[in-house]
Amino acid sequence: MPLDPSTPPRAPRHPVVGLARACHFQPTVAVTAVTTALAVLSGRDAKGCVAVAVAVLAGQLSTGWSNDWLDAARDTAVGRVDKPIVSGAVDVATVRAAALVALVACVPLSLLSGWRAAAVHLVAVGSAWAYNAGVKATVLSPLPYAVSFGLLPAFVTLGLPGHPWPRPALVVATALLGIGAHFINTLPDREDDARSGIVGLPQRISASACLLVGVVLLSACAVTIWSLGGGSPVARSLFLAACVGAAAMVVATTVRAAPRAAWTWTLVTVLGCLVLFAVSRPSLVHG
């Protein structure tokens, strides 16, 4: 039987490679690295930092895999051959099983930091799953990003002796970071989202407005971290300028229709904010 030329070619099945792609590798690594770095900067010992790293990694893997699993039918309908399930690199049952295993593993791994920290982290992961399960298609789409990212510092600090809450400004900074990344991340997929009925808040405004909001929020995160004080004022100002410059590159690459580069610069901005925090070395905890 001749092949239908309109049907995209199926990629050879490589489940391990497919799972690596389906977990949304870049943001998974970035969020895990940033949160682990916060644990180091908070003064948690080596065991505590490892506990943070494995718990956040499990949560991020479950989130990434659940996204591709729950979107599989929608991605297939719009021909998203860049997605490993659609291309045939991995089947949906494997991704679904991986997402559920990672979610279950996230519970005991989070408890390594104590029940208070675990409760906060599991709320953050649950918020991310709620986004994947349908909130992404509503006007409330930024809310899970605000909750999930905003709670990451609390997961770190509640595992410290005395279980202190983080400084409110730090929670605001990470929430701004998450929401800004959300707006930028939707830009390359606006047409596919429109065809598949994903109409979150970023999709309800123009692409240029979406870009502006995302970059302003990323820059606001950097300014909030800078305002925490500490360290050399000159060094802090230089790294603040670097963060804002990286955010400006998000605009430049988006204008040049280079979405992959724009997302890379978004991650550079995220890591720049972490470096700014490391240079400042303010206290993570309130009081």
Side-chain angles (χ1 to χ4, degrees):
M1 176 184 291
L3 293 175
D4 181 353
S6 65
T7 303
R10 302 286 284 180
R13 181 160 294 176
H14 299 294
V16 174
V17 175
L19 282 174
R21 290 174 54 206
C23 78
H24 298 224
F25 186 79
Q26 281 188 327
T28 291
V29 171
V31 173
T32 302
V34 166
T35 313
T36 304
L38 285 177
V40 173
L41 294 170
S42 74
R44 290 188 65 160
D45 59 19
K47 181 180 177 181
C49 291
V50 171
V52 166
V54 293
V56 173
L57 178 60
Q60 289 299 302
L61 288 173
S62 77
T63 300
W65 282 328
S66 67
N67 181 280
D68 274 27
W69 153 38
L70 295 171
D71 279 355
R74 186 182 297 113
D75 289 339
T76 300
V78 298
R80 288 289 303 273
V81 292
D82 58 310
K83 295 287 190 176
I85 293 176
V86 179
S87 70
V90 65
D91 61 78
V92 67
T94 299
V95 177
R96 178 175 61 244
L100 294 174
V101 168
L103 181 63
V104 171
C106 186
V107 177
L109 292 175
S110 298
L111 284 167
L112 293 175
S113 294
W115 70 265
R116 296 172 182 83
V120 164
H121 187 233
L122 294 175
V123 169
V125 173
S127 171
W129 272 68
Y131 174 85
N132 291 341
V135 177
K136 65 192 298 181
T138 74
V139 72
L140 297 177
S141 65
L143 181 60
Y145 278 84
V147 172
S148 295
F149 278 79
L151 288 178
L152 288 177
F155 175 48
V156 170
T157 62
L158 287 171
L160 290 168
H163 319 295
W165 283 92
R167 295 174 69 173
L170 184 57
V171 174
V172 170
T174 53
L176 289 171
L177 195 66
I179 301 171
H182 169 49
F183 275 82
I184 300 298
N185 194 36
T186 62
L187 288 169
D189 303 326
R190 289 176 68 90
E191 292 184 7
D192 288 338
D193 288 342
R195 286 188 291 158
S196 57
I198 300 298
V199 190
L201 183 58
Q203 293 90 346
R204 294 170 190 248
I205 60 180
S206 69
S208 57
C210 183
L211 174 62
L212 178 62
V213 170
V215 170
V216 167
L217 290 173
L218 292 177
S219 300
C221 169
V223 171
T224 303
I225 294 173
W226 176 85
S227 71
L228 291 173
S232 164
V234 174
R236 285 194 298 119
S237 297
L238 286 174
F239 279 102
L240 173 61
C243 290
V244 175
M249 286 300 299
V250 176
V251 176
T253 48
T254 301
V255 170
R256 294 203 303 265
R260 290 185 183 276
W263 182 240
T264 298
W265 279 108
T266 300
L267 296 179
V268 169
T269 307
V270 171
L271 294 177
C273 288
L274 176 62
V275 174
L276 173 60
F277 187 87
V279 168
S280 303
R281 292 304 297 263
S283 172
L284 271 72
V285 300
H286 181 65

